[in-house]
Amino acid sequence: MLYLRGFIVCICCIVLLIVQSGHGSEIIDGKEVTPHSLPFMALLKDKTPICGGILISPVWVLTAAHCGDIKEVLLGVHSINQEEKDSRQVQEVKRFPHPCYDADDNVNDLMLLKLKKPVKKTKTVQWHELRNNIKAPTAGTKCLVAVNVTVIDREKCNSPKYYNLKPFITSSMICAGTDGNNSADTCQGDSGGPILCNGQLIGVTSFGTKCGLKEKPGVYSFLSEKHLKWIKKTMKKSDI
């Protein structure tokens, strides 16, 4: 069973899936990071915590489209269960899901959230700016999703032993999981969080089958050239 982890006239390329949201994040075969060492991480809420996100500018957060009706963004959070009043910043948001998001095929699983006002840059709240061009990581590349995962060849990920084209893993998706020696993976509640390769933001957590399965690695929405154009166009148009 597939789980989501955690909408211009356009020519849509196929990219995405639906994840079951949890009330807390789960990382498989990982360990807790140093508090606030990833100051661009965001916690997204409706009535309860739903998903993760990435602060990419003083007023914009990037996440997954399947995260749905987000009401608030919390920044400067290390633990959901701690109040951390001195470090947290809470903002109401306006949602901009990708116009070509397809929940059935898990395509274009991206959403921008515009904050009500710019954040205050502090030690615990900082943004991770997008680069103009992002190169897809090659198979074997070590990447970080709050736990180290290994990129898996797309052809292999589509093979009968892995996802068997259900869904089809497109060029706008990245498969990443175990290196064969562990069960590294994201899980329910991690949707919309970043995947970083060599310190560069390359995508967001999208979906997977259960958690920690070697032949069902996590799948991430890759920030392709088309996706970067949509992000920049949306941000610019909203500022007019």
Side-chain angles (χ1 to χ4, degrees):
M1 180 178 180
L2 290 169
Y3 293 91
L4 292 182
R5 301 184 175 184
F7 297 102
I8 36 202
V9 175
C10 27
I11 300 174
C12 299
C13 41
I14 294 182
V15 283
L16 210 87
L17 213 62
I18 296 184
V19 170
Q20 199 174 30
S21 307
H23 294 309
S25 299
E26 299 175 55
I27 293 292
I28 307 300
D29 208 1
K31 61 182 181 180
E32 184 176 357
V33 299
T34 303
H36 307 298
S37 59
L38 302 173
F40 47 84
M41 292 289 291
L43 176 63
L44 313 184
K45 292 180 63 177
D46 183 358
K47 293 181 180 179
T48 58
I50 296 176
C51 285
I54 316 102
L55 186 67
I56 58 172
S57 84
V59 292
W60 289 96
V61 168
L62 179 65
T63 187
H66 76 259
C67 289
D69 193 17
I70 303 300
K71 298 290 196 304
E72 283 185 338
V73 167
L74 284 70
L75 300 157
V77 177
H78 176 66
S79 171
I80 295 175
N81 298 320
Q82 296 176 9
E83 292 195 21
E84 304 170 313
K85 292 181 178 179
D86 293 337
S87 65
R88 290 191 180 190
Q89 296 182 43
V90 182
Q91 292 257 15
E92 294 179 357
V93 296
K94 183 177 181 180
R95 301 183 306 119
F96 296 84
H98 195 288
C100 297
Y101 169 54
D102 187 326
D104 293 327
D105 291 321
N106 306 299
V107 176
N108 302 310
D109 192 12
L110 294 169
M111 178 165 61
L112 284 165
L113 303 173
K114 187 174 184 180
L115 307 181
K116 192 171 183 179
K117 60 182 181 180
V119 299
K120 180 180 179 182
K121 190 174 183 179
T122 66
K123 289 184 178 179
T124 61
V125 177
Q126 297 178 30
W127 47 93
H128 194 301
E129 294 184 0
L130 292 176
R131 294 188 181 180
N132 292 325
N133 295 293
I134 297 176
K135 186 178 180 180
T138 57
T141 300
K142 302 292 184 182
C143 299
L144 176 70
V145 284
V147 62
N148 288 319
V149 290
T150 301
V151 175
I152 297 167
D153 181 77
R154 193 173 287 110
E155 183 177 352
K156 183 177 182 179
C157 206
N158 274 316
S159 70
K161 196 174 181 179
Y162 280 68
Y163 278 102
N164 195 27
L165 305 179
K166 299 176 183 178
F168 175 54
I169 307 302
T170 74
S171 60
S172 291
M173 298 178 186
I174 297 168
C175 274
T178 174
D179 60 4
N181 299 313
N182 58 26
S183 299
D185 198 6
T186 49
C187 200
Q188 280 71 51
D190 298 319
S191 291
I195 177 169
L196 303 156
C197 299
N198 299 317
Q200 182 181 6
L201 175 62
I202 65 161
V204 303
T205 305
S206 183
F207 68 93
T209 297
K210 296 184 178 180
C211 305
L213 300 181
K214 179 180 179 180
E215 294 168 354
K216 293 293 185 289
V219 181
Y220 304 82
S221 292
F222 173 54
L223 297 180
S224 64
E225 184 178 353
K226 288 183 179 180
H227 286 152
L228 288 172
K229 286 181 178 179
W230 168 74
I231 289 170
K232 292 173 182 177
K233 182 178 179 179
T234 302
M235 293 169 66
K236 184 176 181 180
K237 186 175 180 180
S238 177
D239 289 338
I240 295 175

